[in-house]
Amino acid sequence: QVQLVESGGGLVQAGVSLRLSCAASGRTFSSFNMGWFRQAPGKEREFVASISWDGRSTSSANSAKGRFTISRDNAKNTVYLQMNSLKPEDTANYFCAARHKLADLPPMIYEYWGQGTQVTVSS
């Protein structure tokens, strides 16, 4: 089992930056690929960004490209999402997720999920 706890959300004005953190525990963090997802009220959960177990490979949604950066610190068992130039449409509950690097799962399917941290961006 992997336990994931997100933090860093809040109520901010458009244009500012936030950094979300996700602290992992339970199993060897460096064996897991990590992702960030978000879900706005009345909408389906959507992919934001992902990072490989070793940090060498990242991917992000078009909505995040150029504004959001995913990173990880395996020594601290933590993955981050740096969000710049926030927009009202970024308002959502942000979740981190983990999948073992050897998991036989379809792409974008994650095994473990956190409870989420709310980000609200006012105009």
Side-chain angles (χ1 to χ4, degrees):
Q1 289 290 330
V2 175
Q3 292 78 44
L4 303 171
V5 179
E6 302 94 336
S7 62
L11 171 62
V12 297
Q13 288 191 324
V16 304
S17 299
L18 273 180
R19 189 177 78 158
L20 305 183
S21 299
C22 173
S25 62
R27 290 180 64 182
T28 306
F29 179 69
S30 59
S31 295
F32 286 82
N33 298 324
M34 301 297 295
W36 284 98
F37 293 76
R38 68 186 184 185
Q39 187 168 20
K43 294 188 177 182
E44 292 189 355
R45 186 170 59 197
E46 64 175 1
F47 168 75
V48 176
S50 64
I51 188 166
S52 61
W53 60 276
D54 57 1
R56 293 184 177 183
S57 177
T58 63
S59 178
S60 59
N62 287 336
S63 59
K65 282 186 169 67
R67 297 190 301 127
F68 295 0
T69 302
I70 189 171
S71 62
R72 66 189 297 160
D73 185 340
N74 284 348
K76 295 183 177 179
N77 291 350
T78 302
V79 62
Y80 304 98
L81 185 67
Q82 177 68 42
M83 305 187 295
N84 299 330
S85 302
L86 282 163
K87 305 175 182 179
E89 50 264 43
D90 294 319
T91 295
N93 199 6
Y94 283 72
F95 301 87
C96 74
R99 58 179 280 163
H100 194 273
K101 64 182 180 180
L102 299 178
D104 184 17
L105 294 169
M108 304 301 291
I109 300 299
Y110 284 74
E111 301 172 86
Y112 305 101
W113 293 84
Q115 294 298 308
T117 185
Q118 179 67 35
V119 173
T120 303
V121 184
S122 63
S123 58

